[in-house]
């Protein structure tokens, strides 16, 4: 494996383990406030991991034309992401509806899930074709992340000391940048920026998988689980799958450079 990818995986694993320990012992899960240690250590760890991923991605970047081809791993992880987002939307209708904002989010989650399912089908078929002729479907499919960023600002008071909700804005923005780069690479490859795609793909891995997944798993713990948390759990699992997709897209885009020893 390429040393840069190895470095990202090592840093990402350390971040995930550290985040899990932090949530288990030194963070108030209900408020997101730190109960031990400096809040800036959390942001520093996340910031360093993201910077490493951006540096590695830009160094590995090549032309993104390889994404327009059959790829079973990408198809499988994308269909999983689509299933999780779709489930989050329907579960929000069932147990997580708290107002008009939740209704809009549920609709957008389902749209995102269906777009990802179509994209997965394209990667799983032998003769790759874009899921739709127009890139408008990709725009609709990513609207949920715009909405979630706005909702996060409206629903949570602004405080650097509430690490979980504050950092989640960065996670959502990271996913949005990655998916926007992916849409451009698939529908308008001649204008796509390989550096932006690889950098945002690895950043999505660090943000969505290494940082956000431990938070999602804490919601599923018997001591923390409530029925109304199911939509958030499935949404978090969907973001973890998109983080994994970011790695796959980087490896495919970089081609031999990603496999160089």
């Amino acid at each position: 494996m390429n040393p840069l990818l190895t470095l990202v995986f090592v840093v990402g694993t350390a971040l995930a383990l550290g985040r899990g320990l932090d949530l288990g012992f030194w963070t108030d899960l209900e408020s997101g406030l730190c109960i031990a240690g400096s809040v800036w250590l959390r942001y520093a760890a996340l910031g360093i991991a993201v910077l490493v991923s951006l540096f590695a991605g830009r160094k590995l970047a090549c032309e993104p034309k390889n994404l327009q081809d059959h790829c079973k791993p990408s198809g499988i992880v994308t269909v999983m992401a689509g299933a999780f987002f779709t489930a989050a939307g329907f579960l929000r209708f069932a147990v997580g509806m708290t107002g008009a904002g939740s209704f809009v989010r549920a609709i957008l989650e389902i749209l995102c899930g269906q777009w990802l399912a179509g994209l997965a089908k394209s990667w799983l078929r032998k003769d790759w074709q874009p899921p739709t002729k127009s890139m408008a479907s990709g725009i609709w499919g990513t609207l949920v992340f715009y909405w979630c960023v706005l909702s996060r600002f409206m629903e949570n008071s602004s405080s650097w000391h509430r690490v979980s909700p504050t950092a989640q804005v960065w996670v959502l923005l990271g996913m949005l940048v990655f998916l926007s780069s992916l849409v451009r690479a698939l529908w308008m490859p001649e204008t796509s920026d390989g550096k932006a795609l690889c950098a945002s793909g690895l950043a999505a891995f660090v943000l969505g998988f290494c940082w956000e997944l431990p938070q999602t798993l804490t919601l599923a713990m018997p001591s923390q689980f409530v029925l109304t948390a199911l939509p958030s759990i499935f949404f978090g699992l969907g973001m973890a799958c998109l983080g994994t997709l970011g790695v796959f897209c980087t490896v495919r885009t970089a081609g031999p450079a990603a496999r160089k020893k």
Side-chain angles (χ1 to χ4, degrees), residues 173-190:
L173 287 173
M175 290 296 172
L176 182 57
V177 172
F178 165 58
L179 290 176
S180 298
S181 298
L182 180 60
V183 168
R184 187 171 182 176
L186 293 176
W187 275 271
M188 301 176 64
E190 67 280 357

Side-chain angles (χ1 to χ4, degrees), residues 116-174:
L116 289 172
L119 181 57
K121 183 178 179 180
S122 295
W123 275 327
L124 290 173
R125 59 186 294 173
K126 297 296 183 181
D127 54 333
W128 188 90
Q129 294 291 333
T132 58
K133 293 183 179 180
S134 171
M135 65 185 296
S137 62
I139 297 174
W140 281 101
T142 57
L143 278 179
V144 64
F145 295 99
Y146 287 99
W147 182 261
C148 288
V149 169
L150 293 175
S151 299
R152 180 59 63 190
F153 279 116
M154 292 185 290
E155 294 172 0
N156 293 282
S157 58
S158 178
S159 172
W160 286 101
H161 295 280
R162 303 184 71 225
V163 177
S164 296
T166 301
Q168 192 175 63
V169 176
W170 303 351
V171 175
L172 293 166
L173 287 173

Side-chain angles (χ1 to χ4, degrees), residues 2-9 11 46-62 194-204 206 250 254 257:
N2 184 280
L4 288 173
L5 280 179
T6 302
L7 176 62
V8 172
F9 288 138
V11 171
L46 178 59
I48 290 171
V50 171
L51 288 176
V52 168
S53 66
L54 293 176
F55 172 79
R58 294 186 70 83
K59 288 294 184 180
L60 289 169
C62 292
K195 290 184 177 181
L197 177 62
C198 290
S200 62
L202 292 182
V206 168
T250 299

Side-chain angles (χ1 to χ4, degrees), residues 69 197 237:
D69 199 1
L197 177 62
L237 292 174

